[in-house]
Amino acid sequence: MLLVVAAFIVAFVLLLYMISPLISPKPLKLNGAHVVVTGGSSGIGKCIAMECYKHGAFITLVARDEHKLVQAKKEVEKCAINDKQVVLCISVDVSKDYNQVESVIKQAQEKLGPVDMLVNCAGMSISGKFEEVEVDRFKKLMEVNYLGSVYPTRAVVTTMKERRMGRIMFVSSQAGQIGLFGYTAYSPSKFALRGLAEALQMEMKPYNIYVTVAYPPDTDTPGFAEENKTKPLETRLISETSGVCQPEQVAKVVVKDAIVTMGLFRTIALFYLGSFDSIVRRCMIQREQSKAADKRE
């Protein structure tokens, strides 16, 4: 029986590999393209910008912290393949005011031309048990992780539709495919991106605009390090089952076109649910036993 299941999985993976060229859009030529990366001052966003720059793209980095943007600009410029390439930095909070976001995107297009590809990478994570997470944190994560992708996307789609070309990428998370212990505030904000992407793709495809979604696992970024400071035990143990990726590795996959393997990632992720549930139950039993022991004392 196990051999049959294993054979089915292998056949499924091979099928995805064979049909991916048929269902995927023609790769966007990055040489000379204008790529906007939100959340581009650090982590995955910065590495995506660097990867695109290595292919000859013109880059607009968007983030809140001006100092980090300047440092990121220097790092990206080291990846240049010709002396015509330009890195533009824009400091703005993409989750607050749509009109402001639209204004800075227009400025970027005036300087570097129409946006060929938008990478929505701005985001943040908060972990904690549902009843212990401050209520305003739920709102904050939806603003940053969801609206922080809606606003830049709205700002570029009109021009993309007029040009009948473009690529929009959303960087979600494995926690945006499977709801996990400790992520009751974070997971929904990342799940929302999948719904947005799937609905938007249906609207954009007739205009030769393609929407892709990346679901990276835990990645060694400043945000991940900050999140680890407050992770519940169950969440930390679940994270340890999959290891930590490097942002450079994730960036290469995202730029290559993450949507090709979206179905495969979802299938693999489902296999982990059983073990994750076991971890949560085991921690709960240990906690109850500890409380019972304290009462006896």
Side-chain angles (χ1 to χ4, degrees):
M1 184 63 182
L2 290 176
L3 289 175
V4 173
V5 173
F8 175 79
I9 293 173
V10 171
F12 176 69
V13 172
L14 290 174
L15 178 63
L16 282 178
Y17 177 79
M18 289 187 291
I19 68 172
S20 61
L22 302 177
I23 61 177
S24 300
K26 184 179 179 180
L28 175 69
K29 292 182 180 179
L30 290 176
N31 194 357
H34 180 193
V35 179
V36 174
V37 183
T38 70
S41 63
S42 64
I44 295 174
K46 182 179 70 176
C47 289
I48 288 174
M50 294 170 71
E51 185 68 20
C52 291
Y53 214 60
K54 291 176 182 177
H55 288 80
F58 289 69
I59 302 293
T60 296
L61 297 175
V62 181
R64 293 175 298 175
D65 192 313
E66 290 187 30
H67 177 70
K68 288 183 179 179
L69 276 171
V70 172
Q71 292 301 116
K73 173 183 169 70
K74 293 178 181 178
E75 293 184 54
V76 174
E77 288 176 335
K78 292 178 182 179
C79 301
I81 63 171
N82 63 66
D83 56 6
K84 295 180 180 180
Q85 288 175 267
V86 177
V87 179
L88 177 66
C89 291
I90 297 178
S91 176
V92 66
D93 186 337
V94 293
S95 69
K96 291 299 182 183
D97 184 347
Y98 170 69
N99 291 327
Q100 188 176 12
V101 174
E102 183 182 40
S103 176
V104 298
I105 292 296
K106 285 183 178 179
Q107 292 175 28
Q109 294 191 116
E110 288 171 359
K111 294 180 179 180
L112 300 183
V115 176
D116 296 291
M117 182 165 76
L118 168 67
V119 182
N120 290 292
C121 203
M124 65 179 294
S125 174
I126 295 173
S127 61
K129 297 177 184 177
F130 179 71
E131 71 276 15
E132 296 176 0
V133 177
E134 296 179 5
V135 174
D136 64 346
R137 299 287 87 187
F138 289 87
K139 179 182 178 182
K140 178 67 175 179
L141 285 183
M142 286 303 296
E143 288 177 342
V144 175
N145 294 341
Y146 178 65
L147 293 180
S149 291
V150 171
Y151 292 166
T153 301
R154 275 290 298 270
V156 303
V157 292
T158 299
T159 302
M160 285 185 174
K161 288 173 73 173
E162 290 173 350
R163 298 175 67 219
R164 294 294 195 274
M165 64 170 292
R167 184 66 58 87
I168 299 169
M169 307 182 78
F170 296 101
V171 179
S172 180
S173 164
Q174 277 289 292
Q177 294 196 92
I178 301 174
L180 299 174
F181 189 104
Y183 287 140
T184 51
Y186 178 67
S187 280
S189 67
K190 289 297 189 177
F191 264 85
L193 291 178
R194 179 178 179 177
L196 170 63
E198 291 182 0
L200 184 63
Q201 175 64 96
M202 189 173 291
E203 293 187 24
M204 297 295 109
K205 193 172 182 179
Y207 297 91
N208 197 36
I209 301 168
Y210 290 90
V211 181
T212 66
V213 186
Y215 297 96
D218 287 340
T219 306
D220 187 13
T221 65
F224 180 67
E226 187 65 27
E227 175 195 336
N228 277 339
K229 295 178 181 179
T230 58
K231 267 185 181 175
L233 172 62
E234 293 88 342
T235 312
R236 181 165 52 81
L237 291 175
I238 288 172
S239 295
E240 290 173 356
T241 65
S242 59
V244 180
C245 290
Q246 294 303 309
E248 294 83 3
Q249 297 172 320
V250 173
K252 288 182 179 180
V253 174
V254 171
V255 173
K256 186 176 181 181
D257 196 357
I259 203 170
V260 173
T261 52
M262 181 175 68
L264 177 59
F265 280 163
R266 175 61 178 170
T267 302
I268 294 173
L270 289 174
F271 282 98
Y272 284 95
L273 278 176
S275 62
F276 292 170
D277 288 341
S278 177
I279 289 173
V280 172
R281 285 196 301 270
R282 186 168 67 250
C283 290
M284 180 188 68
I285 292 172
Q286 291 175 349
R287 190 176 295 109
E288 290 178 347
Q289 290 175 342
S290 178
K291 287 181 179 179
D294 291 340
K295 288 181 180 179
R296 286 195 297 269
E297 293 176 358

